[in-house]
Amino acid sequence: MNREQQVLARIERIRRRKPVVREERITLAHGAGGKATHTLIEAVFLEAFRNPLLAPLDDGALLRVGGERLAFTTDSFVVSPLFFPGGDIGDLAVNGTVNDLAMCGARPAHLSAGFVLEEGFPVADLRRITDSMAAAAAAADVTIVTGDTKVVQRGKADGCFITTAGVGLVEQPVTLSASHARPGDAVIVSGPIGEHGAAIMLARDDFGIEAPIASDTAPLHAVVAELLAVMPQHVRTLRDATRGGVATVVNEVANASEVAVVLREDDIPVRPEVTGVCELLGLDPLYVACEGRFVTVVDGEQAGRALEVLRSHPLGAEAAIIGTVAAAPAGLVLLRTSFGGTRVVDVLVGDPLPRIC
Amino acid sequence: MNREQQVLARIERIRRRKPVVREERITLAHGAGGKATHTLIEAVFLEAFRNPLLAPLDDGALLRVGGERLAFTTDSFVVSPLFFPGGDIGDLAVNGTVNDLAMCGARPAHLSAGFVLEEGFPVADLRRITDSMAAAAAAADVTIVTGDTKVVQRGKADGCFITTAGVGLVEQPVTLSASHARPGDAVIVSGPIGEHGAAIMLARDDFGIEAPIASDTAPLHAVVAELLAVMPQHVRTLRDATRGGVATVVNEVANASEVAVVLREDDIPVRPEVTGVCELLGLDPLYVACEGRFVTVVDGEQAGRALEVLRSHPLGAEAAIIGTVAAAPAGLVLLRTSFGGTRVVDVLVGDPLPRIC
């Protein structure tokens, strides 16, 4: 066994270990979408709630109701600041759940919204948020049909947290999962990455950097529906690249499908202003959250057609094939760099960007 | 017009006024389930999200999926303390959503769970909560199929907030709503009231009172299903008496159905230790939250049979007919007191018990 094989064997052993939360207390990393989040989910939530519908840990659960296939999903939103260039917690909360439903191959239909408000929160800000939610719901053709409001004392929350859940109908004969990628498949991203995360970091104003970057928050159901209508059987995986960014999504695919994902750095679309901000902040755009981009794994032979379909929609106009799926090294994501080298794109460790969504 | 008629006419004018939030900032009362909550919901949430499914403001929304009737509901939980005699935030979050589905006449099926955790929250406490959720889910025969976890910095939340949403199937030919009560109907409560709220107040340990009171948190789907199986067409309204207690529920019924509800104080079941604690704390048990009791309005001629069905189930063993529905004064709840007097039971103003659920 040569050195490289030894390293891969060691990675494989670690990967197969039963996840254990070693920390005694919750850290910000547990909410970052990376390694600590996965460990927490598997060692605590999956361990306690174990059931066949939850186990795949996809963006939502697929339920059978009567003769219909229903997708059901939830997301909590704690973004700070609440208002930022390109959006606010309101449209984020609607688009986030709309997109999780879309990633299940569902037509989003109805949303719920649970609010936790801090005593003293301005009613005018709440109105601005609900107006924004209403506009996002109208744009995504969903209705907010049920909700709840709780108020906690000043200092016991941070303005406004929103948890949305959603139901949608899966109308195409699709079976999507991070575990369905096969060697030879193509990996496509629907547009330039990292804009939401970069916009939030700038909006925090901690760095004194100014750049014309707005969140990409958008409802992805329509562009996804066009793709699925054209090739329902050839789409393996759909994932929106939120917390942990594209790097996290492709690691989930590599891990769940037991394949390698090989990305080509030169093909990954990143706007120059995002690259610039990420360089200043010491971040890798591959790990920075999007809120209006998704990664899809499709049959390699259909990649060109898929790209064509995506690019015909405004929200996929800058879609790009960014990599391929290979058989080995299973569970790893490799990046062919602009300089001709290769490096491992690991899962996110720690939290470079807390409260991004 | 005599004095009483003048008062009633004035109340009626106020009741029909378009609700306006006059406060510039959110107060604890906006989360208490009483008058301020209703105003906030109608003036902000309903105003922004207006659609026919949300408009009834029942415990959940009824959706048509294929040929099936589906109930969809959500609740956020911010109870403090997280652990209390009789339960914790975990079983409360499961039972709360199970009960909202049951109140829609649905068989609860699947739940989602969104967690907002504060940095530094003990992982052992989180495990205790998820174990409790798992046990409650098993007891209610539901599965937790999808979820999300966010972490906020220390001081930006209070340990752990949970938002559950749920879907369930409405299998009986029922049409339940707070607006369906008719003169001659009977008002029934499924058991002694105020135990959850009293237990939480004692658990806060602010008062130095000790009393053997535990939360009544329990899943109500089974006892409700038995009632609906026997008389699907004779049950008008089902509401669990959570925030704001039985007084709030019957006010919602009086208001939505444009009827009077006349309660008989002597018939309302309250355990002596709850009466005692409420007296010490200056609370009226009618406004104190339950988490395992519901109010139902049934056809008056079926009241005896309904009581019999409820009492045959352990969670309805102490059910009681507590009042009747009358045509006038529409929109008001009257209480015939033990001393032979009559007083108006108004909607809750302010928040005597913040963060009860």
Side-chain angles (χ1 to χ4, degrees), chain A residues 117-119 149-153, chain B residues 26-28 30-31 78 355:
Chain A
L117 304 175
E118 184 187 7
E119 182 187 15
T149 311
K150 293 289 173 356
V151 180
V152 298
Q153 302 92 332
Chain B
I26 295 294
T27 66
L28 289 172
H30 286 119
V78 298
R355 299 183 59 190

Side-chain angles (χ1 to χ4, degrees), chain B residues 225-238:
Chain B
E226 289 189 17
L227 181 67
L228 292 179
V230 172
M231 49 180 77
Q233 313 285 359
H234 298 295
V235 180
R236 319 275 196 227
T237 308
L238 289 169

Side-chain angles (χ1 to χ4, degrees), chain A residues 99-136:
Chain A
N99 291 348
D100 279 349
L101 291 170
M103 297 306 128
C104 297
R107 181 174 56 76
H110 302 295
L111 263 51
S112 67
F115 293 80
V116 175
L117 304 175
E118 184 187 7
E119 182 187 15
F121 187 65
V123 172
D125 285 357
L126 183 61
R127 278 189 204 279
R128 203 175 144 192
I129 290 167
T130 53
D131 285 349
S132 162
M133 293 178 79

Side-chain angles (χ1 to χ4, degrees), chain A residues 281-326:
Chain A
L281 301 179
L283 297 172
D284 181 342
L286 267 178
Y287 292 90
V288 178
C290 316
E291 290 290 342
R293 311 290 182 222
F294 63 97
V295 172
T296 179
V297 180
V298 302
D299 183 335
E301 292 184 6
Q302 303 291 327
R305 180 88 185 93
L307 200 63
E308 205 176 290
V309 174
L310 294 181
R311 286 188 172 171
S312 70
H313 191 283
L315 287 171
E318 295 171 75
I321 301 173
I322 60 171
T324 51
V325 176

Side-chain angles (χ1 to χ4, degrees), chain A residues 59 72-78 89-101 110-115 129 133 137 142-144 146-148 161-167, chain B residues 49 72-74 76 112-114 116 146-148 150 163-165:
Chain A
D59 280 336
F72 180 35
T73 182
T74 193
D75 257 339
S76 293
F77 294 85
V78 298
I89 191 173
D91 47 33
L92 209 59
V94 170
N95 288 338
T97 286
V98 162
N99 291 348
D100 279 349
L101 291 170
H110 302 295
L111 263 51
S112 67
F115 293 80
I129 290 167
M133 293 178 79
V142 297
T143 46
I144 298 169
T146 189
D148 187 41
F161 301 147
I162 304 176
T163 300
T164 46
V167 293
Chain B
F49 304 152
F72 179 36
T73 181
T74 193
S76 294
S112 67
V116 175
T146 190
D148 187 41
K150 293 290 175 358
T163 300
T164 46

